[in-house]
Amino acid sequence: MAVRSEAPIQDFDLARFGEEWSDDVSVDGGHNGCDTLNDILRRDLTAASLDPQSACIVRSGTLEDVYTGDSVSLDDLVIDHVVSLTDAWRKGGQDLHAKAHKNLANDPRHLQSVARSVSAENGRDASAWLLPNENYQCTYVTRQVEVKAAYQQWTTITEH
């Protein structure tokens, strides 16, 4: 993986990553009839109950949050991009084409259900922020590297 300086955030626009939680992507789970949000919830929650009208929509469940080590209810969680989209943008994401932007934003390797409280803290790379659960930090950093490598991104000197 290349090591470079961080690119400026100029021209960052979340809309460039496509419709939120799109099923119209060519990553695992794409075109399965369920949106990415519910794909990730079904993957990450225990005791998930689905909407009786749809096998896709998760109505309740509990998360054993890998970021904090705590149990979290569906109402208190969000889906986190392991590499924040702003960090991805500054490290090669600005050079991706539209389809790659959509795939990056919806790639299950890149998404993790987490406690709402800790997700707000993440938005930087692993050199500037590591999750509170020390037992998951190596896995978290490995996932960041895997995602960045898959989408031809780079790391900064500090991050490397």
Side-chain angles (χ1 to χ4, degrees):
M1 191 176 313
V3 177
R4 297 187 190 163
S5 296
E6 196 171 79
I9 194 68
Q10 69 190 44
D11 300 327
F12 175 79
D13 181 0
L14 197 54
R16 293 177 107 175
F17 290 90
E19 177 188 345
E20 188 173 47
W21 310 127
S22 178
D23 186 41
D24 185 22
V25 291
S26 55
V27 294
D28 283 348
H31 300 285
N32 68 358
C34 299
D35 65 19
T36 303
L37 171 67
N38 284 288
D39 286 340
I40 300 304
L41 291 173
R42 283 192 321 278
R43 179 194 73 189
D44 293 349
L45 297 179
T46 57
S49 65
L50 302 178
D51 186 306
Q53 305 300 315
S54 169
C56 290
I57 299 172
V58 176
R59 291 291 179 211
S60 66
T62 303
L63 172 70
E64 297 306 320
D65 183 11
V66 295
Y67 281 21
T68 64
D70 297 333
S71 290
V72 179
S73 72
L74 179 64
D75 294 335
D76 294 323
L77 66 82
V78 295
I79 307 300
D80 188 51
H81 288 94
V82 174
V83 176
S84 74
L85 295 179
T86 54
D87 184 47
W89 184 264
R90 290 188 301 245
K91 295 175 183 160
Q94 72 278 10
D95 297 329
L96 297 175
H97 54 80
K99 185 175 180 181
H101 281 141
K102 277 177 63 171
N103 286 338
L104 173 65
N106 291 279
D107 191 329
R109 295 175 294 184
H110 188 210
L111 300 170
Q112 182 66 50
S113 302
V114 300
R116 184 179 312 278
S117 61
V118 75
S119 175
E121 295 176 27
N122 185 10
R124 302 165 297 216
D125 64 39
S127 71
W129 183 83
L130 285 174
L131 47 108
N133 182 3
E134 291 179 4
N135 294 326
Y136 195 76
Q137 288 177 351
C138 288
T139 302
Y140 173 75
V141 171
T142 299
R143 286 181 71 187
Q144 280 200 357
V145 170
E146 288 173 352
V147 168
K148 288 182 177 188
Y151 290 92
Q152 299 80 44
Q153 300 191 325
W154 62 80
T155 64
T156 61
I157 292 168
T158 307
E159 186 180 7
H160 183 264

